[in-house]
Every structure is written in C-alpha cells, then in structure tokens.
Amino acid sequence: MGFIETEGRINLHYRDWGEGDPVVFVASQAMPCDIWNYNVPFFVERGLRCVTFDRRGHGRSDVPSGGYDLDTLAGDLAAVLRRLDLRGVTLVGHSLGGAEVVRYLARYGAEGRVRRAVLVAPTAPRLTRADDYPEGIDPALAEASADRWRRDFAGWVAENKRGFFTPASSDALVDWGARLMESVPLYVLLAVWKGATTALDLRDDLRGLDLPVLVLHGALDQSVPAAFGEAAAGLVRGAKFCRYDDAAHGIFITHAERFHRDVLGFITSTAP
C-alpha cells in the first residue's frame, strides 16, 4: 500500500486494509508481512482495520546495514503507529514479533496508542540461558544454528520447514512458507539473530505491562517451546495463556479458525 519513513530515514513497506479499530500484525524473524495472508481477511470482514508491515531488511522494506537490535526494531514499530496515527490498537506479534511488541510497550506504551496485545509463540521472556535464567536454551546451540545458516541456510530451511506447520498441511503451503523465509538476506537473518533474538531479555518489560495481554502457544512448537510463552504470561499481571495442544510454531495458519476465534473474543471482551 505504501511506505513509512522512520526517524532514521528507513522506508518500511506497509499494507492497510479495512476500517474500524486497528489490528497491527508483527511477523516473526525472517518473515515478511505476507505471512499474515490467511488472517487479514477474517478480521477485515468483521469490521476491523488490519495493518501489516515488513520490518527493516525484510520483504519490500529498506535493507540497511544496521539497526537490527530489539530497541531499534521496536522504534520502527512505533514509527508505523505514529505515522498512521493509530489509536485503540490491538498488537499481534508472532515469535520475534511478540518480543518487539513487548519492547514497544515497555518503551512507548505511555503514548497510549495500544489497547491490548496478543503474543503468539513469543521469544520471551528470554531465549538463551543465563546464570539467573536456567530455563533458556544453551547459547552454544544458538551459535550452532547461526553457523549452519552461514553454510547452508537453504538446506536448513528444507529440513525444518514442515516443523513450522503440521503433518496435515499441504506441501504447497509448506513450500510457500519456506519461500518467504528464504527471501530474507542472510546478512539480515544473522544480524537480527545476534542483535535481537539471542540478546533479548524481556523479564522486566513484561512485569511492567499494564494492559490486557493474551499469549497463544502451540504445545508442539520446536522453534520456541511453549514453556517460554507460559513463562512470559506469568510475568504479566492478569495475562491469559492458551495452549494449543496439537499445534507447532505456525499456529496462526495451521489453527487459523481457533486463532481467529480466540483473538476476536479477546478483542471483544476487552473493549472499553
């Protein structure tokens, strides 16, 4: 639909459909906003305005050499909401997008634009293990993933693409998701992994949230185990956690009917 310029003069591609209260979707690492194709029509048809955008380095947005840390990415999200002057927003973030939503709320929530947040399989509270966070993954495993990507990212995608979906997902759908992931430059993938994903620690951010929060997570998620989402919800006062027992990482696609029902019900139940 157009481009939004950030304070750092980076152009972010965005799409804007429908009318009504806005729902802003934030995709995962290595995914352009096309990944929300199977969700936008449902919400627009029910009287909501849907905004999606490509984060820097993804899709049709500019590809700068820097700015792939979580604070800058949250600032880019702030630019989207400001430039479109969105208010009464429902933020929906998947995986790293969920982490961006949390950091945005911690840094810019006082602007009062966001009414509620939905975190879908979020990379939160913290992805990697630390002395005071034994629940995280081994940092050596995270680095091993990056090393594999440097050598053969296409091969890694081919081996892991079905794990994003379910056994019932068609080969065509799985291949579509793989193509979207492969469209992101390897440089960007590695920069985001180092600067935002493995470096994040959202525990204090989550404790400070003061708005309705819904966390949705698939029990079969191999990318971000459901224990992370449950821990994130446990740090937010009044947050609701929903586990999808037969879902993996891409629950908003593979379990779209339930996802739509849960998110719409959350929006309705938290309306002013």
Side-chain angles (χ1 to χ4, degrees):
M1 300 284 284
F3 290 88
I4 290 170
E5 186 176 88
T6 71
E7 292 183 1
R9 303 184 66 83
I10 301 300
N11 291 307
L12 303 178
H13 173 268
Y14 78 97
R15 296 173 177 178
D16 190 348
W17 293 275
E19 300 177 355
D21 291 337
V23 182
V24 178
F25 296 87
V26 189
S28 64
Q29 172 181 296
M31 286 294 183
C33 67
D34 306 68
I35 197 66
W36 300 107
N37 279 358
Y38 293 97
N39 309 112
V40 166
F42 174 88
F43 293 103
V44 170
E45 290 165 3
R46 282 152 184 83
L48 294 166
R49 177 183 178 185
C50 290
V51 176
T52 65
F53 71 99
D54 293 330
R55 74 166 51 78
R56 63 174 60 208
H58 292 61
R60 293 136 293 236
S61 292
D62 285 352
V63 187
S65 61
Y68 297 104
D69 59 283
L70 192 61
D71 288 343
T72 301
L73 296 178
D76 289 349
L77 175 56
V80 172
L81 270 60
R82 288 171 181 164
R83 298 296 189 273
L84 298 179
D85 194 23
L86 300 177
R87 300 183 184 277
V89 174
T90 300
L91 285 178
V92 180
H94 174 242
S95 198
L96 175 62
E100 290 173 53
V101 166
V102 173
R103 180 54 53 87
Y104 166 86
L105 292 171
R107 296 212 161 204
Y108 305 98
E111 294 184 4
R113 296 182 180 276
V114 179
R115 184 167 293 154
R116 64 186 68 82
V118 180
L119 309 179
V120 188
T123 53
R126 178 188 171 105
L127 192 63
T128 54
R129 186 182 304 156
D131 291 341
D132 62 343
Y133 192 73
E135 297 85 358
I137 66 173
D138 186 341
L141 293 178
E143 185 56 34
S145 294
D147 286 342
R148 173 70 195 283
W149 296 342
R150 290 185 180 96
R151 296 192 305 271
D152 186 2
F153 181 59
W156 182 90
V157 171
E159 292 172 9
N160 293 276
K161 61 185 180 180
R162 186 157 283 281
F164 186 92
F165 298 94
T166 67
S169 301
S170 70
D171 290 341
L173 182 66
V174 173
D175 289 343
W176 169 76
R179 288 194 300 272
L180 292 182
M181 179 171 284
E182 290 175 336
S183 70
V184 176
L186 180 60
Y187 174 89
V188 172
L189 176 70
L190 293 169
V192 172
W193 182 249
K194 179 179 179 180
T197 306
T198 59
L200 63 82
D201 189 336
L202 298 173
R203 288 174 288 180
D204 288 342
D205 298 42
L206 288 161
R207 293 187 187 102
L209 297 186
D210 187 23
L211 79 172
V213 173
L214 172 65
V215 182
L216 307 175
H217 218 126
L220 305 181
D221 195 329
Q222 297 179 10
S223 298
V224 183
F228 285 82
E230 189 168 9
L235 292 174
V236 181
R237 185 175 63 254
K240 181 180 179 182
F241 177 76
C242 292
R243 184 191 304 268
Y244 290 30
D245 290 335
D246 57 346
H249 200 50
I251 63 175
F252 57 100
I253 299 174
T254 61
H255 292 65
E257 184 175 348
R258 179 179 173 185
F259 172 82
H260 294 155
R261 183 174 65 249
D262 287 345
V263 174
L264 185 61
F266 178 59
I267 292 173
T268 302
S269 66
T270 55

